[in-house]
Amino acid sequence: MTEDSDGRLGTGQSSSPESSAEDDEVPAYVRALIRHFVDLRDNTHGGSTGRHDKEDHFARAVDLLHPVASQVLREMNTMLLMESGRITPTGVQRTPDGGLVASWDLGWPEQRSARVSPVVLMAYYGIGFHHPHLRGATVGDWPLNVFTRSDADDQLHLLRAIASAELHNVVFQADYTIVPAVSRRRNFPEATVRE
């Protein structure tokens, strides 16, 4: 990485939006953010503008996420809960206000005895939302236990997730135009569903 005369970091190369959105060399979390912000800019989600079609995309996304979310919770159950937990997927459900939600909950005896929430991974598409989101039930802080270079390297996926969530929330406080890659480059390809 190099700094330009204004102290901004960059590679010194200019990439086209088309190549950034589809380039496998671009980290997946950056491609996902580009798709997300282009959706905001173009008032679409997965190439769709209507709520019904967006809900269909949501249902498909939940199906695609199911094995991944289940794997994460199985790993936690096996390695941390000594297989005492139970994973409960809800599938897609309609919320009382008309939105959609799906969750994967991991509960275990000690958690229930302590009367605290299970570990929850959630996909939701609120009735007033432009597009769906992922979240946990309580997430805000992550433990920082870094003592070696390897420990630090192991945090890459987590730091990407935190940075993505932070940028998403900052955009929510303003709008997508604060992201130069989206607001200055109006020729991004449409964010469409890839099979």
Side-chain angles (χ1 to χ4, degrees):
M1 293 264 171
T2 61
E3 285 188 23
D4 67 12
S5 60
D6 293 323
R8 292 180 295 225
L9 291 175
T11 61
Q13 303 168 1
S14 175
S15 62
S16 73
E18 292 81 7
S19 63
S20 294
E22 303 298 326
D23 187 351
D24 289 335
E25 300 271 329
V26 174
Y29 78 101
V30 172
R31 290 193 314 269
L33 285 168
I34 288 170
R35 285 192 305 270
H36 178 74
F37 298 141
V38 167
D39 279 353
L40 290 174
R41 184 193 69 200
D42 297 345
N43 196 29
T44 62
H45 178 64
S48 298
T49 56
R51 176 78 189 193
H52 177 74
D53 290 338
K54 291 178 182 183
E55 287 185 356
D56 288 346
H57 288 310
F58 177 80
R60 173 135 168 80
V62 168
D63 288 343
L64 293 169
L65 281 171
H66 179 72
V68 180
S70 297
Q71 175 185 338
V72 168
L73 296 179
R74 272 194 316 274
E75 292 167 355
M76 185 174 282
N77 185 38
T78 299
M79 294 180 225
L80 297 172
L81 305 181
M82 302 176 70
E83 300 197 17
S84 65
R86 180 171 179 228
I87 299 167
T88 306
T90 64
V92 176
Q93 299 179 336
R94 184 77 54 190
T95 62
D97 69 352
L100 295 176
V101 66
S103 67
W104 298 264
D105 302 355
L106 173 59
W108 64 102
E110 293 85 350
Q111 162 262 319
R112 286 187 289 279
S113 293
R115 298 176 191 248
V116 295
S117 298
V119 172
V120 178
L121 301 175
M122 184 185 310
Y124 68 101
Y125 184 17
I127 192 65
F129 283 48
H130 174 72
H131 48 244
H133 291 84
L134 288 171
R135 65 166 296 136
T138 64
V139 173
D141 296 318
W142 282 266
L144 178 62
N145 291 298
V146 174
F147 303 100
T148 67
R149 180 58 145 159
S150 178
D151 291 343
D153 290 344
D154 289 343
Q155 302 308 304
L156 178 62
H157 69 286
L158 182 59
L159 293 173
R160 285 176 172 162
I162 293 170
S164 295
E166 284 293 303
L167 183 57
H168 173 268
N169 290 342
V170 170
V171 165
F172 185 72
Q173 292 170 13
D175 66 26
Y176 71 86
T177 61
I178 69 168
V179 180
V182 177
S183 64
R184 293 184 192 162
R185 298 179 177 160
R186 301 277 181 200
N187 59 344
F188 266 112
E190 282 190 25
T192 57
V193 177
R194 284 204 257 174
E195 297 286 332

